[in-house]
């Protein structure tokens, strides 16, 4: 394995340590002293306008951060990733989610094969299938057209598609809807099939290997529900032939395990594959996006991919001092390693992005929640941070108190769009303008706060002055785009993909494996017999697990 540069040994790291030791946050003063600060620290990346000026930085800090990126080789790792080199060292794989959105005709070779041609081959098949469904050519077993798509997947096969579907609901074709089943809790599949017409539903089973426990369990439950409901209503007679026909017409797969797909009853011709160089949390723009192609249509999905590619191009071509994902990734390093920040809030002032923080949790924490470096040695710095958030203004009435006046430093990204999908008014007042007034006000309040003198000037009793002081100097990044289009959603996802990548390179870790999810899954399989009542299996468990399983067994009806 390659030995990454230890960031703590670089000249830039020593500069950052020295700068942090004497750094006194004073955003009020910084803006007074530098009338051009907002302009100098604001940048464009494709359609995204990004204001970094309310971060705890100055030119010296930014210069040292950019120097750090140079010393640890961020650009070289970036080029290696885009070029198809095997930078996922623990799995010996290329990392080529960026190839999923490259234009037809581009060339990126892995083992002598141009993967861009493969990508467009799958896209063409997805688009052709989607047109059959959307036009009504593809129908269910009783001849009715498809109206409901139910995606069955987990992790990257769920979080990405559901987030994008919710973000782009105004673009969903009328007469189509999507639902998403992920949790092995049987409540999930029961609720998601409630009210669904079995004659007009299409299930997508998304599992690369077609072995994922949760996904295959839910797929079997869905298959049983479909057949039982169709037979119960008299839509099919229950013969083996009609049962097989129903499965074939109401199930398709996102998988490369064609033998297992066929064994389930799905025609392998209706299986759409992707590759081992696409990690699950980076796969929403692959065949995993099939529910999006079906509901949004190929044109909108192509625009979505174009947004990714536009941000990719910015990441590759923009100079370091104006490279938005590079700078945002480096700022996260600044806060995690020098200010000891342990969490990062993402606060979209766009209700359609209400699943964005949940999506980013997997992208960022599964990528950078690592304790060893690329060469297997222990990390030399803190790594990763907890990503969380909710849409504004809901969050203002829930947890903003902690961000404004708590003792923890919580960097926050505020995201908004200039043009809403629904430009409504209330008594002649543009509600979106009121909404965005809150977006602008929150970052101002976090940056500049409110002094004791200002509180007293409002006539506040002295006894509660201190409780109403806002210290300010709480760092934020503001991101705003013209509208929440398919392209802009793609740009936002790519932005955070590359932010995550930059942090991983600085820390010298493999951001593209996820061994930390394996142990719990292995133990679940060992414990399952005990939960089913096997006393020998129960006795093999630790005392705490025995106690908990015992409680379950005593109370399960």
């Amino acid at each position: 394995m390659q030995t990454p540069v230890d960031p703590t040994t670089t000249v830039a790291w020593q500069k950052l340590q020295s700068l942090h030791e004497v750094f006194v946050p004073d955003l009020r003063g910084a803006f007074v002293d530098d009338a051009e600060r907002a302009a100098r620290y604001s940048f464009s990346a494709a359609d995204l306008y990004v204001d970094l000026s309310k971060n705890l930085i100055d030119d010296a800090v930014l210069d040292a951060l950019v120097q750090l990126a140079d010393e640890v080789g961020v650009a070289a790792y970036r080029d290696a990733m885009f070029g198809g080199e095997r930078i996922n060292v623990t799995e010996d794989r290329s990392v080529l989610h960026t190839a999923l959105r490259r234009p037809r005709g581009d060339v990126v070779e892995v083992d002598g094969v141009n993967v861009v041609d493969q990508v467009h081959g799958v896209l063409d098949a997805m688009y052709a299938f989607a047109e059959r469904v959307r036009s009504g050519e593809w129908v269910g077993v009783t001849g009715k057209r498809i109206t409901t798509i139910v995606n069955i997947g987990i992790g990257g096969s769920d979080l990405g598609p559901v987030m994008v579907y919710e973000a782009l609901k105004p673009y969903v074709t009328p007469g189509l809807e999507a639902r998403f089943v992920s949790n092995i809790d049987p409540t999930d599949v029961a609720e998601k099939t409630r009210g669904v017409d079995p004659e007009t539903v299409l299930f997508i089973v998304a599992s690369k290997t077609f072995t994922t426990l949760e996904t295959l369990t839910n797929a079997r439950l869905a298959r049983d529900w479909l057949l039982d409901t169709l037979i119960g209503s008299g839509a099919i007679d229950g013969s083996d032939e009609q049962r097989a026909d129903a499965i074939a017409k109401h199930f398709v797969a996102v998988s490369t395990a064609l033998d297992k797909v066929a064994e389930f009853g799905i025609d392998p011709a209706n299986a759409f594959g992707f590759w081992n160089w696409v990690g699950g949390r980076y796969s929403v723009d692959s065949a995993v996006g099939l529910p999006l192609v079906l509901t949004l249509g190929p044109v909108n999905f192509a625009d979505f991919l174009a947004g990714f590619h536009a941000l990719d191009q910015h990441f590759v071509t923009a100079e370091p001092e104006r490279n938005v994902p590079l700078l945002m990734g480096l700022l996260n390093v600044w806060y995690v390693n020098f200010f000891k920040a342990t969490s990062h809030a993402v606060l979209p002032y766009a209700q359609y992005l209400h699943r964005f923080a949940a999506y980013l949790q997997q992208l960022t924490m599964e990528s950078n929640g690592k304790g060893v470096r690329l060469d297997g040695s222990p990390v030399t710095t803190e790594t990763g941070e907890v990503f969380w958030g909710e849409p504004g203004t809901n969050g203002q009435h829930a947890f903003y108190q902690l961000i404004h006046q708590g003792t923890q430093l919580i960097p926050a990204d505020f995201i908004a769009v200039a043009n809403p999908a629904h430009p409504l008014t209330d008594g002649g007042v543009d509600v979106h303008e009121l909404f965005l007034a809150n977006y602008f006000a929150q970052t101002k309040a976090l940056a500049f706060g409110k002094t004791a003198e200002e509180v007293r000037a409002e006539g506040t009793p002295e006894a509660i002055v201190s409780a109403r002081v806002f210290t300010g100097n709480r760092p934020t990044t503001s991101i705003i785009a013209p509208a929440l289009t398919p392209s802009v959603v793609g740009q936002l996802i790519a932005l955070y993909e590359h932010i995550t990548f930059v942090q991983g390179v600085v820390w010298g870790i493999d951001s593209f494996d996820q061994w930390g999810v394996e142990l719990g899954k292995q133990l679940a399989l060992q414990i399952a017999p005990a939960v089913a009542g096997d006393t020998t299996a129960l006795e093999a468990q630790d005392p705490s697990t025995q106690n908990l399983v015992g409680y379950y067994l005593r109370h399960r009806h």
Side-chain angles (χ1 to χ4, degrees):
M1 292 184 181
Q2 60 195 109
T3 301
V5 174
D6 180 348
T8 67
T9 65
T10 62
V11 173
W13 194 273
Q14 308 312 313
K15 285 185 181 178
L16 289 165
Q17 281 188 320
S18 298
L19 289 167
H20 181 260
E21 287 171 3
V22 299
F23 193 87
V24 178
D26 180 14
L27 286 173
R28 285 196 181 205
F31 278 88
V32 169
D33 294 342
D34 181 3
E36 300 301 315
R37 180 181 174 91
R40 287 193 304 109
Y41 292 160
S42 294
F43 310 97
S44 293
D47 293 317
L48 307 180
Y49 185 74
V50 182
D51 182 353
L52 304 180
S53 66
K54 296 190 188 78
N55 280 281
L56 305 183
I57 52 172
D58 56 25
D59 289 349
V61 169
L62 271 187
D63 288 346
L65 288 170
V66 170
Q67 181 183 342
L68 176 64
D70 181 60
E71 291 190 64
V72 300
V74 169
Y77 275 99
R78 177 200 63 202
D79 294 344
M81 176 176 71
F82 276 80
E85 295 184 30
R86 298 176 187 271
I87 65 169
N88 178 351
V89 296
T90 70
E91 296 179 298
D92 192 28
R93 292 176 179 174
S94 300
V95 176
L96 275 173
H97 48 281
T98 56
L100 297 170
R101 52 264 198 161
R102 293 188 74 133
R104 192 186 304 272
D106 276 12
V107 177
V108 179
E109 291 193 351
V110 174
D111 298 327
V113 176
N114 181 14
V115 299
V116 179
D117 287 345
Q118 293 182 317
V119 166
H120 281 275
V122 173
L123 281 174
D124 289 344
M126 291 167 61
Y127 291 168
F129 175 72
E131 290 297 355
R132 291 179 66 194
V133 172
R134 291 165 59 81
S135 69
E137 176 189 346
W138 178 288
V139 294
V141 69
T142 61
K144 293 182 179 179
R145 69 186 299 155
I146 300 299
T147 60
T148 304
I149 312 298
V150 178
N151 187 78
I152 303 174
I154 198 166
S157 297
D158 170 73
L159 289 165
V162 71
M163 182 275 288
V164 176
Y165 177 78
E166 292 294 322
L168 295 176
K169 269 194 171 175
Y171 293 85
V172 172
T173 300
L176 283 173
E177 69 158 336
R179 301 184 181 195
F180 298 85
V181 175
S182 59
N183 203 332
I184 199 171
D185 182 340
T187 301
D188 199 12
V189 72
E191 287 295 334
K192 298 301 171 54
T193 54
R194 186 189 301 276
V196 171
D197 183 348
E199 298 181 48
T200 63
V201 68
L202 179 68
F203 291 97
I204 302 171
V205 184
S207 171
K208 186 188 295 184
T209 61
F210 224 70
T211 59
T212 308
L213 174 66
E214 296 91 342
T215 299
L216 268 295
T217 300
N218 281 328
R220 290 189 293 269
L221 292 174
R223 183 178 61 187
D224 291 346
W225 170 86
L226 177 78
L227 295 175
D228 290 347
T229 311
L230 288 172
I231 294 169
S233 68
I236 64 174
D237 62 19
S239 66
D240 289 346
E241 181 181 359
Q242 289 208 354
R243 291 165 70 94
D245 191 34
I247 296 169
K249 290 181 176 176
H250 291 274
F251 279 85
V252 298
V254 173
S255 179
T256 53
L258 298 185
D259 55 339
K260 294 182 177 66
V261 167
E263 184 180 340
F264 184 89
I266 297 172
D267 185 344
N270 299 322
F272 304 90
F274 56 114
W275 306 269
N276 67 7
W277 41 258
V278 181
R281 56 191 175 274
Y282 297 91
S283 66
V284 67
D285 44 344
S286 72
V288 167
L290 182 60
L292 305 174
V293 179
L294 289 165
T295 54
L296 303 175
V299 172
N300 284 322
F301 193 78
D303 190 39
F304 176 58
L305 297 181
F308 276 96
H309 185 63
L311 212 294
D312 292 343
Q313 290 299 104
H314 170 85
F315 185 44
V316 169
T317 62
E319 58 185 320
E321 294 77 11
R322 303 190 65 80
N323 193 308
V324 171
L326 176 68
L327 294 176
M328 289 182 68
L330 292 170
L331 282 172
N332 289 355
V333 170
W334 174 234
Y335 294 129
V336 169
N337 294 129
F338 296 92
F339 287 84
K340 308 305 178 185
T342 58
S343 80
H344 191 113
V346 178
L347 309 169
Y349 278 67
Q351 181 61 30
Y352 282 125
L353 286 174
H354 69 101
R355 292 289 297 170
F356 193 52
Y359 171 77
L360 291 182
Q361 286 172 349
Q362 186 196 19
L363 173 65
T364 59
M365 295 195 285
E366 196 169 79
S367 293
N368 288 343
K370 309 293 170 59
V372 297
R373 302 197 303 156
L374 288 165
D375 61 358
S377 63
V379 296
T380 58
T381 65
E382 299 87 352
T383 63
E385 62 266 68
V386 176
F387 271 73
W388 58 283
E390 284 288 333
T393 58
N394 293 358
Q396 294 175 202
H397 295 267
F399 52 77
Y400 277 36
Q401 169 68 41
L402 178 67
I403 303 177
H404 279 284
Q405 290 186 310
T407 58
Q408 302 177 51
L409 182 76
I410 303 174
D413 299 343
F414 285 73
I415 303 170
V417 295
N419 296 285
H422 306 286
L424 304 179
T425 60
D426 174 30
V429 175
D430 186 318
V431 178
H432 188 65
E433 290 180 359
L434 178 61
F435 186 39
L436 286 206
N438 281 272
Y439 165 80
F440 298 124
Q442 289 297 322
T443 60
K444 180 175 182 177
L446 286 164
F448 306 127
K450 194 174 191 179
T451 67
E453 290 72 20
E454 290 167 336
V455 173
R456 290 189 184 98
E458 295 175 339
T460 304
E462 189 62 30
I464 61 171
V465 165
S466 60
R468 299 182 66 172
V469 168
F470 290 75
T471 60
N473 297 314
R474 311 289 175 123
T476 64
T477 293
S478 296
I479 302 169
I480 191 165
L484 198 63
T485 63
S487 176
V488 164
V489 173
Q491 291 168 40
L492 284 170
I493 296 171
L495 172 64
Y496 282 90
E497 287 178 346
H498 298 321
I499 290 169
T500 301
F501 169 81
V502 169
Q503 291 178 252
V505 173
V506 172
W507 292 326
I509 59 179
D510 188 339
S511 296
F512 303 101
D513 63 11
Q514 55 281 328
W515 298 108
V517 307
E518 296 299 322
L519 179 58
K521 293 194 294 186
Q522 294 168 3
L523 293 177
L525 294 176
Q526 296 174 20
I527 295 171
V531 178
D534 185 324
T535 56
T536 301
L538 182 60
E539 290 168 358
Q541 304 306 319
D542 64 273
S544 175
T545 303
Q546 289 181 20
N547 183 53
L548 291 167
V549 173
Y551 178 91
Y552 163 78
L553 292 172
R554 291 190 302 274
H555 289 81
R556 175 65 190 265
H557 300 300

